[in-house]
Amino acid sequence: MSVGGGVWHRRRAVGRLFVGLAVGLATGVAAGFGSAVFLHALTWATDTRVDRPWLLWLLPAAGLGIGFLRRSAGRATAGTNLLLDEFHLDEGDHDLLPDDAAPGGRVPFHMAPYALLGSVTTHLFGGSGGREGAAVQIAAGLAAPVRPALERAARRSGASPVHVRRLLVVTALAGGFGSVFGVPFAGTIFGTEALRRWRPRTASHLRTRVDEALAFLPAAAVSSFVGHVVTTRLGIHHTKLPSLHGPFNLGVLIVALASGLLARAFLAAHGSVHEALRRSRLPVLVWPMVGGAVVVGLTLLIDTRTYLGLSLPLLDAALLGAALPTGAFAFKLLFTAVTLGSGFPGGEVTPLLCMGACLGAVLAGPLGGSPPLLAAVGMVSTWAAASNTPVSAAVMGAELFGPIGLLVFLPMNVAATFVSGAKGVYRAQR
């Protein structure tokens, strides 16, 4: 019996591994194709908006269109939180789910076109948003049709359909993130790290999290690297950033701690916008229209379009050490909180990277540090703190700025995450 039982367990382990690699391959192809299409569309939308400044005045009308789109999209509007809820659906501690967590159920295929169309519309008309949310959701939506076939294969190999469902979530997170930013190693870690909040409550929770990460890591790696290769083969080339340089002094830690506070401020502002609209008793349909009108008003008030869209020129300026307005990080925070908090689709990563880099660059003067170095620390630590993913953010920093960055970013990310508090941009994290 023991010999037979051992053979059965080995067969099941091998079956789960092959199922994981198959899911990773399928999702990686979907993620790479989806990210390439999305990034090409995003470039078109940004260039079109810059060439036709009058499109900004249509942002409220675009918001109304987004409102109708959201009403027809159903569960897909929950975005990445729907994926996380899918992963945790069978766990017993349902009381840990936030009240507004997405209801359980299969990830719908229409999540992909909703995320693509909604995010491109946001950027075309001037909303301040990111791109990772759309990439992850496009990957999950495109992979949805192959789920039944993967579940049948899983049953034949001794794996459960629940395992397949969780694999699809992990590989969508990994493939979408790795392909859209060109950081396959970070995408691999992000696929497992984003599932749960960073602070395990007991040693048992820590062991469970490590075991869970190891179980899904092969599939996440396949998805992230395949997605990255497919995206680059389809004409997407990611910008290489300069290597880190400058003195690693107390200023680096101060920027990291300030980045944690900045992440906390963004989460509070985003929540305040959502709560204010909820209390206004306005129909949810018009929330994005109101947000769009506020963004237009803010643009007129400060007389600059720097904070619209991805704000990549602002991010580049911060990393190059150029002079920035003192309140650049606060303005980017405000524009993004209003855009996303009112219901426009879009990710949070790029805006958080931008506001964090601006914070680091602005603090470089008073701290007497290197503006590019402190901008890089602020950029990575702000994202780590807001997403509760200090490890994958550190790996992302190393891929963008060179391997030496891992030694700088990892401890700084942990410090920033500690300061930011338990909440994050993904409300469905356990």
Side-chain angles (χ1 to χ4, degrees):
M1 285 293 289
S2 60
V3 174
V7 171
W8 184 85
H9 283 297
R10 285 196 296 274
R11 177 179 177 273
R12 185 180 182 188
V14 172
R16 286 167 67 97
L17 176 61
F18 275 103
V19 168
L21 297 180
V23 173
L25 179 61
T27 310
V29 171
F33 175 77
S35 290
V37 172
F38 173 58
L39 290 173
H40 282 303
L42 202 56
T43 300
W44 168 82
T46 302
D47 292 343
T48 301
R49 189 189 73 244
V50 171
D51 292 340
R52 297 170 175 78
W54 53 267
L55 285 172
L56 175 64
W57 314 128
L58 299 180
L59 184 60
L64 185 59
I66 291 292
F68 280 104
L69 186 64
R70 287 177 60 88
R71 191 165 68 174
S72 62
R75 294 197 316 273
T77 60
T80 305
N81 284 299
L82 175 61
L83 304 185
L84 298 180
D85 191 30
E86 274 276 291
F87 184 91
H88 297 300
L89 186 61
D90 298 301
E91 296 182 8
D93 52 346
H94 291 287
D95 58 308
L96 295 182
L97 278 175
D99 293 335
D100 57 351
R106 293 174 181 266
V107 173
F109 171 77
H110 69 260
M111 173 177 270
Y114 168 75
L116 175 64
L117 179 60
S119 295
V120 170
T121 300
T122 298
H123 289 278
L124 177 62
F125 293 97
S128 175
R131 49 191 174 182
E132 106 295 339
V136 167
Q137 293 156 39
I138 290 170
L142 292 179
V146 302
R147 176 171 170 173
L150 291 171
E151 288 178 343
R152 288 194 295 270
R155 290 190 184 96
R156 288 195 296 269
S157 62
S160 70
V162 171
H163 184 63
V164 170
R165 189 187 70 225
R166 291 180 170 179
L167 280 169
L168 284 168
V169 171
V170 170
T171 54
L173 291 170
F177 193 92
S179 61
V180 81
F181 288 111
V183 288
F185 288 98
T188 300
I189 305 299
F190 180 77
T192 59
E193 190 181 23
L195 300 171
R196 303 183 187 276
R197 292 175 182 170
W198 185 67
R199 297 168 181 78
R201 292 180 294 177
T202 65
S204 173
H205 288 167
L206 179 59
R207 286 194 300 271
T208 299
R209 183 161 187 179
V210 171
D211 292 343
E212 181 179 81
L214 293 176
F216 292 107
L217 212 54
V222 169
S223 180
S224 187
F225 278 90
V226 168
H228 174 61
V229 170
V230 171
T231 301
T232 54
R233 291 294 178 88
L234 292 176
I236 297 298
H237 302 287
H238 299 280
T239 304
K240 296 295 183 182
L241 299 177
S243 299
L244 294 178
H245 64 277
F248 297 94
N249 52 26
L250 184 62
V252 174
L253 177 59
I254 293 174
V255 169
L257 297 176
S259 298
L261 295 176
L262 179 62
R264 196 167 191 155
F266 170 75
L267 294 171
H270 182 286
S272 296
V273 170
H274 181 85
E275 183 63 15
L277 288 169
R278 187 185 68 82
R279 291 186 175 182
S280 71
R281 299 184 183 278
L282 290 171
V284 177
L285 178 70
V286 304
W287 287 10
M289 182 178 70
V290 174
V294 173
V295 169
V296 171
L298 289 171
T299 304
L300 292 173
L301 183 64
I302 63 176
D303 195 26
T304 180
R305 300 188 177 214
T306 303
Y307 308 106
L308 302 178
L310 293 170
S311 297
L312 292 182
L314 182 63
L315 176 60
D316 293 339
L319 293 174
L320 292 173
L324 298 177
T326 303
F329 65 90
F331 283 124
K332 185 59 180 175
L333 182 155
L334 182 59
F335 274 73
T336 307
V338 171
T339 300
L340 301 183
S342 62
F344 278 93
E348 299 88 357
V349 178
T350 304
L352 284 162
L353 297 177
C354 182
M355 64 183 78
C358 291
L359 175 66
V362 167
L363 290 178
L367 294 175
S370 163
L373 171 63
L374 296 187
V377 172
M379 165 182 156
V380 176
S381 294
T382 301
W383 164 239
S387 61
N388 282 304
T389 58
V391 179
S392 53
V395 175
M396 179 183 185
E399 289 186 84
L400 294 176
F401 297 101
I404 187 64
L406 191 62
L407 301 176
V408 179
F409 293 127
L410 187 54
M412 296 305 104
N413 289 354
V414 171
T417 304
F418 179 80
V419 170
S420 68
K423 293 182 179 180
V425 292
Y426 304 129
R427 297 184 304 279
Q429 282 178 327
R430 293 296 181 93

